Amino acid sequence: MIDISPSVMQFLLAFIVVAPLLGAATALPPAPPGLRGSGPDQAVLRHGVTVTGAILVAAIVLALGFDHDQPSRMQATTDISWIAALDVRIHLGVDGISLPLLVLTALLTFLCALYSYFKPPAGPSPRAFVALLLVLESGTLATFAVLDLLLFFLAFEMVLIPMYFLIARWGGAERQAAAWKFILYTLLGSVVMLLGLLLVGLHAGTFDMVALATDNGSGLSKSVQVTAVLAIGIGLAVKTPMWPLHSWLPDAHTAAPTVGSVLLAGVMLKMGTYGFVRIVLPIAPDGMRTFAPYLAAFAVVGIIYGSLACLALARRGAGGDLKRLIAYSSVGHMGFVLLGIASMTPTGVNGALFANVAHGLITGLLFFLVGALKDRYGTADLDTLAGATGAALYGRAPRLGGLLAFAAVASLGLPGLAGFWGEMLAMFGAFDPAPGLSRPAFLTFTAIACFGTLLTAAYLLIVVRRVCMGATRPAAGAEETGPAPELADVQGYELAAWTPLVALTVLAGLWPAVLLGLTDPAVQKLLAGGKS
C-alpha cells in the first residue's frame, strides 16, 4: 500500500466518476487528422481504450492508497451542498464495500474497450459506441461512489439509456424488442424505487446515506420502513434481477453485443444488490427484517428456476442459445447473493459481496468466450455448436476449449476458485440467520439452495461435454465431408482481455482474505448502525 494525501484521494475518486463523461464528450467530434492512425474509426476506438485505461489506473491507485487498516471508514470523501432546501449534497466516498466494485467496473470496462478495439461490434459509427460505453461506465462508477439517496437514483438511472442503445443499435436478432423490454422493466421499477427513496429522505429530514445508516432507522417508524423497503426493494430487485422480475434479462443478453453482455452481467446487475446492502439493510432494518423471509424465498426459487431453465436449454435438440443459458445462470447466481443479504448476518452479507465480485469476473469471462464462439461459428445455438459429435473444442481450439471449461467449473463453484466462497458464505449466513428471523424457514431455504448447486454443476458440465468434447470428424454413418474446418484458437487480443479475469478468479479463490478483509469490517459497522 502507498501513502497518498486525502486531497489526492478526493481528486482520484472524483476523477474516476467524472472522467468517463469527459471522455464521452470528446469521443463524438472527429479526431484531428494526425491522430487518426489508419482511420477515424480506429482513432475513436483507441480513444476509448485510453480513457478507460486511465480510469483503471486511477482506480488501482485509489485502491493502493486506501487505508486497509480502516476499511469501515469512508475515505476519499467529497461533501458539497447541492440543493440546500432538501439537504441534497454531492457526497462521494468509498469504503471496503464499494471499493472492490469500483475496481471491478473500471477493469471490465477497460477490457471491453480493449476487446472492441480489435473486434469492433457490427453496427453504426464507433464514435457513438465509445461515447455510450463511457457514459455507462460513469453511471456505474457513480452508483458505487455516491452517498446521497437522490444522487444514487440519478446514477442508477444514468446507465439505462446507454445500455438501451448498445442493445438496440449494436445487438443481434430481436434487438429492438429486447431493448424495449429492458428499458420498460427497469424504468417502471425505478419509478417505484424513487418513491421509496423520497419517503425515507422526507421523513428522516436528510438524504445523506451515511447519516441515515448511522441513525439505523431510529428516525423512521416501522410502517415507513416497511413501505420504503417494499418500494425501494422492487426497483433494486428488477435490476438484480430477482425472480419473477427477471424476464427482461435473457432477452437482453441474447440480443446484446458481446461487450454489452459482459458489462450487463459483470457490473450492472451488481447495482441492485449493492443498493440492498448500502441502503435497505442499514437505513430500514425493521422493514428489512419484515421482508427478509420473502426475499430469501424469492431468492431460492430463482436459484432453482434459473438452473432448471439452463438444464432445459442445454439438452440435445432444445435449440438453446448459449448466451441465453448463461443469462439464466445469472438469475441463479444472483439468487445466492440475495439469500446472503436476506440472512441479515455479517457472514451472509460478506458472502453476498464476495459472490457479487466473483460473478462479475466469471460471468464476464463466460460472455467473452461465448462471443468468441459466436464469431467463429456464426451462431450461439448450442445444438449447432455441439454438432453431431460435439464441437470438439479440446481438439480443434484447445486454448479456447480449456478456457471455456475453466470458466464453467469456476461458475459452478469449484473450491479453489472465486465462485466457491461467496455462495458458501451466503448459505452459511442463511443457516444461522439474524435474531428475529425464523431459523426453520431459513434452514429450508439453505437446503433448497444446496440442491441448486447440484443443478448448477449439472448444466455447466453438460455444456462443457457437448461443446468441448467429441470427435473432430463426422460420426459413423454421417456423410464424409473431409476433415472438420479449421477453427481459430485464442487470438492475442483475446488473451490480453481474458487473462486478468482468469488470474483474478484464481487469486480470489486461493486468497479470499484479500476481499473479505476489506468487506467484513465495513459490513460489521453497517449492520451495527454505523458503529464500529
Side-chain angles (χ1 to χ4, degrees):
M1 301 304 115
I2 56 179
D3 186 20
I4 300 179
S5 69
S7 59
V8 175
M9 292 286 283
Q10 274 184 320
F11 170 78
L12 284 172
L13 185 57
F15 174 81
I16 287 168
V17 173
V18 175
L21 288 178
L22 300 177
T26 53
L28 293 174
L35 299 178
R36 290 183 181 177
S38 62
D41 289 353
Q42 186 195 41
V44 74
L45 291 169
R46 185 171 61 237
H47 172 79
V49 176
T50 303
V51 174
T52 56
I55 294 162
L56 176 59
V57 170
I60 293 171
V61 174
L62 180 74
L64 292 174
F66 186 83
D67 186 352
H68 289 252
D69 293 328
Q70 300 184 68
S72 63
R73 179 174 64 86
M74 281 294 171
Q75 302 180 36
T77 54
T78 298
D79 192 1
I80 304 169
S81 179
W82 184 32
I83 306 175
L86 295 175
D87 193 28
V88 177
R89 311 183 68 81
I90 299 176
H91 193 181
L92 306 177
V94 63
D95 66 356
I97 292 173
S98 52
L99 180 64
L101 293 170
L102 279 171
V103 176
L104 175 67
T105 301
L107 173 66
L108 283 177
T109 311
F110 169 71
L111 296 180
C112 286
L114 181 65
Y115 186 86
S116 300
Y117 178 77
F118 292 97
K119 187 71 178 178
S125 164
R127 286 205 299 273
F129 174 83
V130 171
L132 291 169
L133 194 70
L134 291 171
V135 173
L136 177 65
E137 180 181 29
S138 181
T140 310
L141 290 168
T143 301
F144 300 136
V146 298
L147 297 172
D148 183 274
L149 289 181
L150 292 187
L151 279 183
F152 175 87
F153 175 78
L154 293 176
F156 198 82
E157 295 304 286
M158 184 176 167
V159 304
L160 301 185
I161 299 303
M163 182 54 73
Y164 167 83
F165 281 110
L166 286 174
I167 296 172
R169 302 298 298 278
W170 287 270
E174 306 295 331
R175 59 182 182 269
Q176 293 290 344
W180 274 110
K181 195 171 185 179
F182 162 76
I183 200 78
L184 288 175
Y185 264 74
T186 49
L187 276 178
L188 289 174
S190 297
V191 168
V192 180
M193 184 177 76
L194 177 60
L195 296 176
L197 295 175
L198 291 173
L199 180 67
V200 169
L202 295 176
H203 274 80
T206 180
F207 290 94
D208 186 87
M209 290 158 65
V210 176
L212 288 166
T214 303
D215 290 343
N216 204 217
S218 61
L220 303 173
S221 67
K222 185 172 182 180
S223 60
V224 169
Q225 290 193 37
V226 169
T227 306
V229 169
L230 179 61
I232 297 169
I234 288 173
L236 297 175
V238 170
K239 188 68 72 75
T240 297
M242 180 187 77
W243 182 92
L245 303 174
H246 68 283
S247 61
W248 62 269
L249 183 71
D251 292 340
H253 270 309
T254 304
T258 296
V259 296
S261 293
V262 170
L263 293 175
L264 183 58
V267 294
M268 278 189 64
L269 303 189
K270 314 303 175 284
M271 295 164 65
T273 50
Y274 173 79
F276 275 108
V277 175
R278 179 65 75 195
I279 298 173
V280 178
L281 275 175
I283 293 176
D286 292 338
M288 180 63 184
R289 198 169 287 109
T290 299
F291 282 107
Y294 303 101
L295 179 63
F298 284 126
V300 296
V301 170
I303 293 170
I304 300 300
Y305 172 85
S307 299
L308 291 176
C310 290
L311 280 171
L313 290 169
R315 74 178 191 273
R316 189 183 301 275
D321 186 285
L322 194 49
K323 288 186 73 176
R324 195 174 190 85
L325 184 147
I326 297 171
Y328 273 111
S329 79
S330 292
V331 175
H333 287 304
M334 299 312 289
F336 284 100
V337 176
L338 291 172
L339 179 62
I341 294 170
S343 74
M344 299 184 68
T345 62
T347 302
V349 176
N350 275 303
L353 293 171
F354 197 104
N356 255 348
V357 175
H359 180 266
L361 296 171
I362 296 166
T363 307
L365 177 60
L366 276 169
F367 275 116
F368 269 134
L369 292 167
V370 175
L373 281 175
K374 189 172 183 178
D375 289 338
R376 287 158 170 77
Y377 282 92
T379 181
D381 178 77
L382 191 55
D383 287 332
T384 304
L385 292 176
T389 62
L393 276 183
Y394 288 154
R396 300 178 61 197
R399 293 183 184 86
L400 188 58
L403 282 170
L404 181 62
F406 169 84
V409 297
S411 184
L412 65 82
L414 184 74
L417 298 176
F420 171 73
W421 295 105
E423 295 181 3
M424 184 195 71
L425 290 172
M427 288 189 287
F428 276 178
F431 184 79
D432 189 15
L437 299 179
S438 170
R439 188 157 191 245
F442 272 82
L443 286 175
T444 304
F445 299 146
T446 305
I448 296 171
C450 288
F451 178 64
T453 62
L454 300 178
L455 295 178
T456 302
Y459 71 73
L460 285 167
L461 292 176
I462 289 172
V463 168
V464 170
R465 186 196 68 198
R466 295 194 65 198
V467 176
C468 295
M469 301 179 185
T472 57
R473 294 183 178 179
E479 182 181 353
E480 186 68 41
T481 57
E486 290 295 322
L487 191 68
D489 209 340
V490 177
Q491 305 295 301
Y493 70 92
E494 293 172 329
L495 194 63
W498 303 342
T499 299
L501 302 179
V502 174
L504 289 172
T505 299
V506 174
L507 177 64
L510 295 179
W511 198 8
V514 172
L515 189 53
L516 293 173
L518 280 173
T519 62
D520 185 52
V523 168
Q524 297 276 1
K525 180 178 179 179
L526 208 64
L527 294 177
K531 304 174 185 66
S532 299

